[in-house]
Amino acid sequence: MNKRHRFIYTAAAVLLVIFITTGYWFSRHNLSFTCSSSTVSFYGNNGNNSNAASLNFTQTLNFNYLGKATVFIAGELHTPEGVTYRMNRSVFYDYVHLGGSNYYLQVTDSILAGNDDVPVSLAKTELAPLQQGASRIVGIRQLPSGDMVVANNVGPFLICAVH
């Protein structure tokens, strides 16, 4: 076997490894979209009782093929005592495709904008899923309209209009 054949076989093997690695990567991180949800209101993480804070916010989600997601949140948190706090934050996630429509998301960072005035103590109880290190498994499916449905283990969480 001469040097030219060895070079061709080596180059083919390297290309094959690159294609297999790229295919594996895309199978683990296969989302690429940006969408926004309408204003959403729900009770906090305290058993959905009337003594829990309520949240009213809009959000923009961005998922990319590199296994990264960003959620931009703007809105208000209302306490049972009648105090309203402004939320304006970006939450950064790493995600992995688990199979089917299921994805594992983990918060890697959170950045607050200047007018976000939710106290840390309230954020820890009412916004725990947005805190660094928090993780969850969600289902993400595309509707025939092109919009996305994000669901947790209980049911649909939000319908997100794709841009």
Side-chain angles (χ1 to χ4, degrees), residues 18-35:
I18 290 170
F19 285 130
I20 289 171
T21 304
T22 304
Y24 175 75
W25 181 262
F26 280 108
S27 73
R28 300 295 288 167
H29 308 96
N30 67 352
L31 294 176
S32 180
F33 69 90
T34 299
C35 66

Side-chain angles (χ1 to χ4, degrees), residues 24-87:
Y24 175 75
W25 181 262
F26 280 108
S27 73
R28 300 295 288 167
H29 308 96
N30 67 352
L31 294 176
S32 180
F33 69 90
T34 299
C35 66
S36 297
S37 70
S38 301
T39 300
V40 179
S41 295
F42 62 92
Y43 283 102
N45 300 322
N46 297 331
N48 291 335
N49 63 44
S50 59
N51 292 325
S54 66
L55 298 167
N56 295 312
F57 61 94
T58 59
Q59 57 189 343
T60 299
L61 286 74
N62 178 280
F63 282 79
N64 67 40
Y65 281 124
L66 300 176
K68 305 289 183 189
T70 306
V71 179
F72 304 100
I73 300 170
E76 298 175 336
L77 184 144
H78 304 277
T79 67
E81 297 80 26
V83 179
T84 299
Y85 296 101
R86 293 174 302 230
M87 289 189 325

Side-chain angles (χ1 to χ4, degrees), residues 103-150:
Y103 294 84
Y104 173 81
L105 283 79
Q106 183 166 24
V107 177
T108 58
D109 199 8
S110 180
I111 298 174
L112 309 181
N115 66 346
D116 189 308
D117 61 358
V118 177
V120 173
S121 60
L122 195 55
K124 284 183 180 179
T125 59
E126 300 300 331
L127 304 176
L130 304 178
Q131 302 297 307
Q132 189 167 354
S135 61
R136 62 176 25 168
I137 295 174
V138 297
I140 301 175
R141 294 190 175 154
Q142 189 168 23
L143 297 172
S145 66
D147 296 334
M148 304 301 278
V149 174
V150 179

Side-chain angles (χ1 to χ4, degrees), residues 84-105:
T84 299
Y85 296 101
R86 293 174 302 230
M87 289 189 325
N88 191 0
R89 54 188 66 205
S90 300
V91 183
F92 302 93
Y93 295 88
D94 284 340
Y95 78 87
V96 175
H97 183 214
L98 298 175
S101 64
N102 294 321
Y103 294 84
Y104 173 81
L105 283 79

